[in-house]
Coordinates of all heavy atoms in Angstrom, one line a residue:
V114 N -8.5 -30.3 17.3 CA -7.6 -29.6 18.3 C -8.4 -28.8 19.3 O -8.0 -28.9 20.6 CB -6.7 -28.5 17.4 CG1 -6.0 -27.7 18.4 CG2 -5.8 -29.3 16.5
A115 N -9.5 -28.1 18.9 CA -10.3 -27.5 19.9 C -10.8 -28.4 21.0 O -10.8 -28.2 22.2 CB -11.3 -26.5 19.2
A116 N -11.5 -29.5 20.5 CA -12.0 -30.5 21.4 C -11.0 -31.0 22.3 O -11.4 -31.2 23.5 CB -12.8 -31.5 20.5
D117 N -9.8 -31.4 21.8 CA -8.8 -31.9 22.7 C -8.3 -30.9 23.7 O -8.2 -31.3 25.0 CB -7.6 -32.3 21.8 CG -6.5 -32.9 22.6 OD1 -6.8 -34.1 23.1 OD2 -5.5 -32.4 22.8
R118 N -8.1 -29.7 23.4 CA -7.7 -28.6 24.3 C -8.8 -28.5 25.4 O -8.4 -28.3 26.6 CB -7.5 -27.2 23.6 CG -6.2 -27.2 22.8 CD -6.1 -25.9 22.1 NE -6.1 -24.7 23.0 CZ -6.0 -23.5 22.6 NH1 -6.1 -23.2 21.3 NH2 -6.0 -22.5 23.5
V119 N -10.1 -28.4 25.1 CA -11.2 -28.3 26.0 C -11.2 -29.5 27.0 O -11.3 -29.4 28.2 CB -12.5 -28.0 25.3 CG1 -13.7 -28.1 26.3 CG2 -12.5 -26.7 24.6
D120 N -11.1 -30.7 26.4 CA -11.2 -32.0 27.2 C -10.0 -32.0 28.2 O -10.2 -32.4 29.3 CB -11.1 -33.3 26.3 CG -12.5 -33.4 25.5 OD1 -13.5 -32.8 25.8 OD2 -12.4 -34.1 24.5
V121 N -8.8 -31.7 27.7 CA -7.6 -31.7 28.6 C -7.8 -30.7 29.7 O -7.3 -31.0 30.9 CB -6.4 -31.3 27.8 CG1 -5.2 -31.1 28.7 CG2 -6.0 -32.5 26.8
A122 N -8.4 -29.5 29.4 CA -8.7 -28.5 30.5 C -9.8 -28.9 31.4 O -10.1 -28.1 32.4 CB -8.9 -27.2 29.9
G123 N -10.6 -30.0 31.2 CA -11.6 -30.4 32.0 C -12.9 -29.7 31.7 O -13.9 -29.7 32.5
G124 N -13.0 -29.0 30.5 CA -14.2 -28.3 30.1 C -15.2 -29.1 29.2 O -14.8 -30.3 28.9
R125 N -16.2 -28.5 28.6 CA -17.1 -29.2 27.8 C -17.5 -28.2 26.6 O -17.5 -27.0 26.9 CB -18.4 -29.6 28.4 CG -18.2 -30.6 29.7 CD -19.4 -31.2 30.2 NE -20.5 -30.3 30.4 CZ -20.6 -29.6 31.6 NH1 -19.7 -29.9 32.6 NH2 -21.6 -28.7 31.8
I126 N -17.9 -28.8 25.6 CA -18.5 -28.0 24.5 C -20.0 -28.6 24.2 O -20.1 -29.8 24.0 CB -17.6 -28.1 23.1 CG1 -16.2 -27.6 23.4 CG2 -18.3 -27.2 22.0 CD1 -15.3 -27.9 22.2
E127 N -20.9 -27.7 24.2 CA -22.3 -28.2 24.0 C -23.0 -27.3 22.9 O -22.6 -26.1 22.8 CB -23.0 -28.1 25.4 CG -22.4 -29.1 26.4 CD -23.2 -29.0 27.8 OE1 -24.2 -28.2 27.8 OE2 -22.6 -29.5 28.7
S128 N -24.0 -27.9 22.3 CA -24.7 -27.2 21.3 C -26.1 -26.9 21.8 O -26.8 -27.8 22.4 CB -24.8 -28.0 19.9 OG -25.8 -27.5 19.1
A129 N -26.7 -25.7 21.6 CA -28.0 -25.3 22.1 C -29.1 -25.9 21.3 O -30.2 -26.2 21.8 CB -28.1 -23.8 22.1
T130 N -28.9 -26.2 20.0 CA -30.0 -26.7 19.1 C -29.7 -28.2 18.7 O -30.6 -28.7 18.1 CB -30.1 -25.8 17.9 OG1 -28.8 -25.8 17.2 CG2 -30.5 -24.4 18.3
E131 N -28.5 -28.7 19.0 CA -28.2 -30.1 18.7 C -27.7 -30.8 19.8 O -26.5 -31.2 20.0 CB -27.2 -30.1 17.5 CG -27.7 -29.5 16.2 CD -26.6 -29.1 15.3 OE1 -25.4 -29.0 15.6 OE2 -26.9 -29.1 14.0
P132 N -28.5 -31.0 20.9 CA -28.1 -31.6 22.1 C -27.5 -33.0 22.1 O -28.2 -33.8 21.5 CB -29.3 -31.6 23.0 CG -30.5 -31.5 22.1 CD -30.0 -30.7 20.9
I133 N -26.3 -33.2 22.4 CA -25.6 -34.5 22.4 C -24.8 -34.6 23.7 O -24.1 -33.7 24.1 CB -24.7 -34.6 21.2 CG1 -25.5 -34.5 19.9 CG2 -23.9 -35.9 21.2 CD1 -24.6 -34.5 18.6
D134 N -25.0 -35.8 24.3 CA -24.3 -36.1 25.5 C -22.8 -36.5 25.2 O -22.7 -37.7 24.9 CB -25.0 -37.1 26.4 CG -24.4 -37.3 27.8 OD1 -23.4 -36.6 28.1 OD2 -24.8 -38.1 28.5
T135 N -21.9 -35.7 25.2 CA -20.5 -36.0 24.8 C -19.8 -36.8 25.9 O -18.6 -37.1 25.7 CB -19.8 -34.7 24.4 OG1 -19.8 -33.9 25.6 CG2 -20.3 -34.0 23.1
A136 N -20.4 -37.1 27.0 CA -19.8 -37.8 28.1 C -19.9 -39.3 27.8 O -19.2 -40.1 28.4 CB -20.6 -37.5 29.5
T137 N -20.7 -39.7 26.8 CA -20.7 -41.1 26.4 C -20.1 -41.3 25.0 O -19.9 -40.4 24.3 CB -22.2 -41.5 26.2 OG1 -22.8 -40.9 25.2 CG2 -23.0 -41.2 27.5
A138 N -19.7 -42.6 24.7 CA -19.0 -42.9 23.6 C -20.0 -42.7 22.4 O -19.6 -42.1 21.4 CB -18.6 -44.4 23.5
S139 N -21.2 -43.0 22.5 CA -22.2 -42.8 21.5 C -22.3 -41.3 21.2 O -22.6 -40.8 20.0 CB -23.5 -43.4 21.7 OG -24.1 -42.9 22.9
G140 N -22.3 -40.4 22.3 CA -22.5 -39.0 22.1 C -21.3 -38.5 21.4 O -21.5 -37.5 20.5
R141 N -20.1 -38.8 21.7 CA -18.9 -38.4 21.1 C -18.9 -38.8 19.6 O -18.5 -38.1 18.7 CB -17.7 -38.9 21.8 CG -17.5 -38.2 23.1 CD -16.0 -38.4 23.6 NE -16.0 -39.8 23.9 CZ -16.2 -40.3 25.3 NH1 -16.8 -39.6 26.1 NH2 -16.2 -41.6 25.5
F142 N -19.4 -40.0 19.4 CA -19.6 -40.5 17.9 C -20.5 -39.5 17.2 O -20.4 -39.2 16.0 CB -20.0 -41.9 17.8 CG -20.4 -42.3 16.4 CD1 -19.3 -42.7 15.6 CD2 -21.8 -42.5 16.0 CE1 -19.7 -43.2 14.3 CE2 -22.0 -42.9 14.8 CZ -21.0 -43.2 13.9
A143 N -21.7 -39.3 17.8 CA -22.7 -38.4 17.2 C -22.2 -37.0 16.9 O -22.4 -36.4 15.8 CB -24.0 -38.3 18.0
R144 N -21.3 -36.5 17.8 CA -20.8 -35.2 17.6 C -19.7 -35.2 16.4 O -19.7 -34.4 15.6 CB -20.0 -34.7 18.9 CG -19.4 -33.3 18.7 CD -18.6 -32.9 20.0 NE -17.3 -33.7 20.1 CZ -16.5 -33.6 21.1 NH1 -16.8 -32.7 22.1 NH2 -15.5 -34.4 21.2
G145 N -19.0 -36.3 16.3 CA -18.1 -36.5 15.2 C -18.8 -36.5 13.9 O -18.3 -35.9 12.8
V146 N -20.0 -37.2 13.9 CA -20.9 -37.1 12.6 C -21.3 -35.7 12.3 O -21.3 -35.3 11.2 CB -22.0 -38.0 12.8 CG1 -23.0 -37.9 11.6 CG2 -21.7 -39.6 13.0
M147 N -21.7 -34.9 13.3 CA -22.2 -33.6 13.1 C -21.1 -32.7 12.6 O -21.3 -31.9 11.6 CB -22.8 -33.0 14.3 CG -24.0 -33.8 14.9 SD -25.4 -33.7 13.7 CE -25.7 -32.1 13.7
T148 N -19.9 -32.8 13.1 CA -18.8 -32.1 12.7 C -18.3 -32.4 11.3 O -17.9 -31.6 10.5 CB -17.6 -32.1 13.7 OG1 -17.2 -33.4 13.9 CG2 -18.0 -31.4 15.0
E149 N -18.4 -33.7 11.0 CA -18.0 -34.2 9.7 C -18.9 -33.6 8.6 O -18.6 -33.3 7.5 CB -18.0 -35.8 9.7 CG -17.6 -36.3 8.3 CD -16.2 -36.0 7.9 OE1 -15.4 -35.8 8.7 OE2 -16.0 -36.0 6.6
Y150 N -20.3 -33.5 9.0 CA -21.3 -33.0 8.1 C -20.9 -31.5 7.9 O -21.1 -31.0 6.8 CB -22.7 -33.3 8.8 CG -23.8 -32.7 7.8 CD1 -24.0 -33.2 6.6 CD2 -24.5 -31.5 8.2 CE1 -25.0 -32.7 5.8 CE2 -25.5 -31.1 7.5 CZ -25.7 -31.6 6.3 OH -26.7 -31.1 5.4
A151 N -20.5 -30.8 9.0 CA -20.3 -29.4 8.9 C -19.0 -29.2 7.9 O -19.1 -28.3 7.1 CB -19.9 -28.8 10.2
A152 N -18.1 -30.0 8.0 CA -16.9 -30.0 7.0 C -17.4 -30.2 5.6 O -16.9 -29.6 4.7 CB -15.8 -31.0 7.6

Side-chain angles (χ1 to χ4, degrees):
V114 171
D117 183 67
R118 287 177 61 183
V119 171
D120 289 343
V121 169
R125 303 192 305 277
I126 304 176
E127 299 179 6
S128 168
T130 59
E131 299 165 333
I133 296 174
D134 186 3
T135 56
T137 65
S139 59
R141 288 190 292 274
F142 172 77
R144 183 183 68 182
V146 171
M147 298 299 294
T148 55
E149 179 65 26
Y150 179 67

